Each structure stands twice: as C-alpha cells, then as structure tokens.
Amino acid sequence: MEGLNMSMECTRESRSNGTCFGLAVCGFCYDFAETRQVSKEYEQFNLIVIGLMLPAIGCLGLIGNTLSAFTYSRREMISSLNVYLFALACSDIVIILTAFFLFFLENMRKRSEWATYYFAVLSPVMFPLGLTAQTISVFITVASAFDCLVLVAASDKFKSKFCSVNTSIIVIVKILLLGALYNSPHMYEIYVIDCWSTMYNTASKDVCPTALRADEDYVRIYYVYMYTIVMAVGPVFLLVIINSAIVISMRRSSSPNSESDIITLVLVVCLFISCNVLPLTVNFLELLFGIINSYLIDLSNLMVVVNSSCNFLIYYTFGSNFRRTLRHYLRNAFNFNAPIQLANNRTPPRVKMCLPPTEVLI
C-alpha cells in the first residue's frame, strides 16, 4: 500500500500520536486515540438489530419493492398516483441497498478486515447516495399524498390539470434535482485515507471527516435544524394534515373505481408517519437535551429500513388493481404455455384514476 514504510516504528507511543509504519492509525482521525467502551449488552443488541434484523427485513423489502416497481410500471397500471408509487419503490430499493452499507457493513467493521476496507472505499459514494434516496423518498411520499388529495377533493378542472402522468413525471424530476441539491454537502464531509489497522495488524483504508464535517455550526444548522424541518417535522406535519383531509373527503365523496388505491396511499402515509416517530424522538432528544442513546439510534435506523420494506404488504393487501395485475403477470411467468390473459379471459383493466379525460396512453 502506498505510504507504508516498514522501517518506521509502530510503538505504543507512535500509535498514541496517530501513526504506525508511516501511516495514520485507522480510526485516529475521529476517535483521537480514545478507546470507546461498549457494554456486552449493547453489543448483543446491536448485533441482533443491525446485524440480523436489518438485513433480513431489507432482503424481503428488496423483493417486495422490485415486485412493486414492476407492477406499477405496467401499461395497464399507468396513472399519476402510480407513477409516484413506482418512483417510491425505486427510491426504497436504493435506501435498503445503502442501508446494508451504512448500517450493516459499518456494524461488521469491528468483526471483519474486508468490511473495514470496503466500507472506507465506498463511503464517499454510498453515504451521500443513501441520504439523497431518503430525502427523495420523503418528498415523493408528500407529493403522492397531495396528488391523492387533489383526486378526492379538487374540482374536475383542477384534477384534470394536476393529476396527469406528465405532471407526475415533472414533479418527480424536480424532486430528484432538489434531493440531490439538498444532500450535495454530504459529498464534501468525508475523505478516504490509507491507514494501519491496529485491530487487524494490517494496512487498510479509513474515512476521515473534513473540516466542513467537523465544524460545529455546520453540524448544528445542517444536521439538526435543517434535518428537523426538511426531513422530519415538516413532512410529518404536512402528511398528517393531508391524510386527515383525504379521509374527510373520502367520507363525503369517493370514486368506487379508485377507492382501494386511495386507501392504499393513506396507509402508506400512515406507515411513513409511524416509522418516523422514533427518528423524530431521537432528533429531539439530541437537539433539546443533548441526549444520544445508542439503543434508540439503532432502532431508528432499523425503522428506516422497515418503512422502505413494508409498502409492498400494503399494496398487495389493500390495492385491488395492484393485486390483480401482479397475480396476472406472476401466473403467466410461471406458466409459459398459457396465453397472456386473466382467469376470466380478459386483459388486466387499465387504471382510470387520476388521468385527464383527453390523455391518450400509447
């Protein structure tokens, strides 16, 4: 490895100064030679939650979101709301994959040298990508909820203008750009160095915080205040209001053709709110009282994966169009000699929800 000089010493004194064989000591740039004492109880808890539960739920979530994205991308399922749900499934796939890296692989660093190495090498890409996907997922959830509110409460004129596939695509593109812009500072928070791992007694790589990430004002403003407004309290507050308005409007008037899809979206929003209660709590404890609880942090990270993994269960249980279309394609996928048709000899019905009367699907 470049920079390694075996002629130089690696003594207790040199390690305390942050060098070993001419390389920086892995972990020194953020631990500053301090040894973190972790209880056995927390190690077991961390292993169960992050090492076992998170990857297990995440793997199921990848399967569910892949099926969701496939189903909502079918021609007969095209609608403005389903465009949002397709984009949400795609963003959830990215969230789960990066969660494996940010949480699971990071957890394995103290158990595997290769995990330590590849965590450092991939961090500059995976760290901002994962946070960008989370932001995009939050914004898409809000946008889809507003689309649903327009469907059940707005006038036909406004509905035909806003609830179109083209409008949904434009909104999603703007969300992608906004999410990338909001998370762009994360690209300048860490950098990779060559280092000597005293744990594994070998040359390795590590990530270190930049001056930007070490700035207390930046952390307080960007990670605490802006996160609370943009990613936590703001979206949850909006979704509670929008969801309440949707439920009230549904009691007054609802289209039978789209009622199951509206209920599906309402439940997706409820899942989002429920899974964000704990992260909100963790954020407020740190913001108001300076309390950092490792147990709650691990659970809040798990809830991020739960939120991204369980939407498929809602789609399949409550979305009649989704369930019928998915069964249709699965049936034909496992029966290659059968004609592509439903059990009652008709093609899957095209979803009529949120499409202007004059729009033509090709």
Side-chain angles (χ1 to χ4, degrees):
M1 179 175 289
E2 184 179 354
L4 180 61
N5 188 350
M6 298 302 296
S7 64
M8 299 187 68
E9 293 183 342
C10 184
T11 62
R12 179 178 297 179
E13 182 180 355
S14 68
R15 289 196 297 267
S16 65
N17 292 326
T19 61
C20 197
F21 299 122
L23 295 175
V25 174
C26 297
F28 188 87
C29 60
Y30 48 84
D31 283 340
F32 303 103
E34 296 179 2
T35 302
R36 298 181 178 181
Q37 299 295 332
V38 179
S39 66
K40 291 184 178 180
E41 290 79 8
Y42 173 70
E43 284 189 349
Q44 294 175 353
F45 177 84
N46 179 262
L47 178 62
I48 293 173
V49 173
I50 303 299
L52 298 177
M53 294 179 63
L54 186 146
I57 295 173
C59 287
L60 295 176
L62 287 177
I63 297 173
N65 281 304
T66 301
L67 292 174
S68 299
F70 171 81
T71 304
Y72 283 125
S73 66
R74 299 304 90 192
R75 183 171 180 269
E76 61 271 16
M77 288 292 288
I78 292 178
S79 73
S80 61
L81 181 57
N82 289 347
V83 170
Y84 288 118
L85 295 181
F86 167 79
L88 182 61
C90 293
S91 65
D92 284 342
I93 289 174
V94 178
I95 289 174
I96 295 171
L97 290 175
T98 54
F100 285 155
F101 173 83
L102 294 173
F103 305 141
F104 175 71
L105 192 60
E106 196 279 335
N107 178 268
M108 294 295 107
R109 293 177 71 189
K110 52 182 173 289
R111 299 179 175 89
S112 169
E113 191 277 328
W114 71 264
T116 300
Y117 180 87
Y118 285 105
F119 179 87
V121 170
L122 297 175
S123 282
V125 175
M126 302 299 287
F127 178 61
L129 178 62
L131 295 176
T132 300
Q134 289 184 38
T135 302
I136 290 171
S137 180
V138 170
F139 291 173
I140 289 176
T141 302
V142 175
S144 61
F146 184 76
D147 183 277
C148 188
L149 176 62
V150 171
L151 171 68
V152 299
S155 63
D156 291 338
K157 181 179 180 180
F158 185 76
K159 189 187 305 182
S160 64
K161 181 179 180 181
F162 184 83
C163 292
S164 69
V165 172
N166 289 337
T167 300
S168 298
I169 294 175
I170 292 173
V171 171
I172 289 173
V173 171
K174 291 181 178 179
I175 288 175
L176 292 175
L177 295 176
L178 186 60
L181 179 63
Y182 175 77
N183 289 279
S184 58
H186 294 304
M187 300 174 61
Y188 307 99
E189 292 183 355
I190 57 176
Y191 63 99
V192 181
I193 65 168
D194 295 327
C195 65
W196 182 265
S197 173
T198 56
M199 178 181 295
Y200 301 109
N201 197 33
T202 184
S204 186
K205 288 185 178 293
D206 198 9
V207 288
C208 288
T210 63
L212 176 66
R213 183 63 177 86
D215 186 273
E216 293 183 358
D217 292 332
Y218 168 78
V219 172
R220 183 173 60 255
I221 294 173
Y222 186 70
Y223 273 87
V224 179
Y225 296 117
M226 289 185 64
Y227 175 86
T228 301
I229 296 173
V230 177
M231 292 288 294
V233 174
V236 170
F237 179 74
L238 284 175
L239 288 172
V240 168
I241 294 177
I242 294 174
N243 234 27
S244 301
I246 291 173
V247 172
I248 294 173
S249 299
M250 285 182 63
R251 289 183 176 181
R252 297 176 180 175
S253 174
S254 180
S255 171
N257 294 328
S258 62
E259 184 174 354
S260 66
D261 300 282
I262 296 173
I263 293 174
T264 298
L265 192 279
V266 170
L267 292 175
V268 167
V269 172
C270 289
L271 175 65
F272 174 87
I273 295 173
S274 300
C275 290
N276 277 273
V277 169
L278 185 57
L280 267 176
T281 303
V282 172
N283 198 60
F284 277 122
L285 287 176
E286 182 178 356
L287 175 63
L288 300 178
F289 306 105
I291 299 174
I292 301 178
N293 188 296
S294 298
Y295 291 90
L296 292 180
I297 292 175
D298 284 350
L299 287 175
S300 65
N301 290 335
L302 178 64
M303 294 309 295
V304 171
V305 176
V306 170
N307 184 33
S308 297
S309 301
C310 292
N311 285 334
F312 171 78
L313 299 177
I314 297 176
Y315 300 152
Y316 190 84
T317 303
F318 298 95
S320 58
N321 291 326
F322 177 91
R323 183 170 58 252
R324 182 167 54 248
T325 303
L326 178 59
R327 286 178 176 176
H328 161 70
Y329 282 98
L330 289 178
R331 184 182 299 114
N332 285 280
F334 291 102
N335 186 7
F336 300 101
N337 295 323
I340 303 179
Q341 58 184 14
L342 292 178
N344 56 1
N345 296 322
R346 60 184 177 87
T347 57
R350 179 172 299 179
V351 177
K352 301 298 183 181
M353 183 173 68
C354 271
L355 286 176
T358 58
E359 184 165 342
V360 178
L361 297 180
I362 299 177

